[in-house]
Amino acid sequence: MSKAFHVLVAAAAILGASMPLIAHHGAATFDTSAEITLKGTVTEWTWFNPHCFLKFDVKDESGTVKTWAAETQNPTAMTSRGWARTSFKPGD
């Protein structure tokens, strides 16, 4: 088989494998145009790859507690923005 054929097969394999990665970071389920402010109590701050999560309890207008989770970037990206593993503790 020719070298060009092997290059073509390798390129197709790389492109095929990368398609699920592109789909992974879709934001279609989120309203990215809305900005909200929430005040609550931290229940958990997970500092893991591929994303960190901040979980917190918020009381709504009727006094009912709702648990929220905010997904952030990976720890390396968060560190470059000034955040740390110790930025939040349960009860904050």
Side-chain angles (χ1 to χ4, degrees):
M1 292 190 192
S2 72
K3 183 177 179 179
F5 176 76
H6 288 301
V7 170
L8 180 64
V9 169
I14 290 169
L15 287 173
S18 67
M19 292 309 288
L21 295 176
I22 293 169
H24 171 78
H25 288 95
T29 59
F30 304 104
D31 182 359
T32 58
S33 66
E35 184 175 312
I36 61 171
T37 300
L38 299 168
K39 292 183 182 183
T41 303
V42 173
T43 57
E44 186 177 9
W45 172 232
T46 57
W47 189 262
F48 299 114
N49 277 320
H51 302 278
C52 301
F53 284 90
L54 178 63
K55 296 179 182 177
F56 52 102
D57 290 338
V58 177
K59 282 187 183 178
D60 65 15
E61 299 81 27
S62 68
T64 304
V65 175
K66 305 265 182 169
T67 300
W68 285 74
E71 180 179 3
T72 69
Q73 294 291 319
N74 62 68
T76 303
M78 294 300 289
T79 300
S80 70
R81 290 173 171 84
W83 299 99
R85 178 185 302 269
T86 57
S87 292
F88 300 100
K89 294 178 282 312
D92 285 354

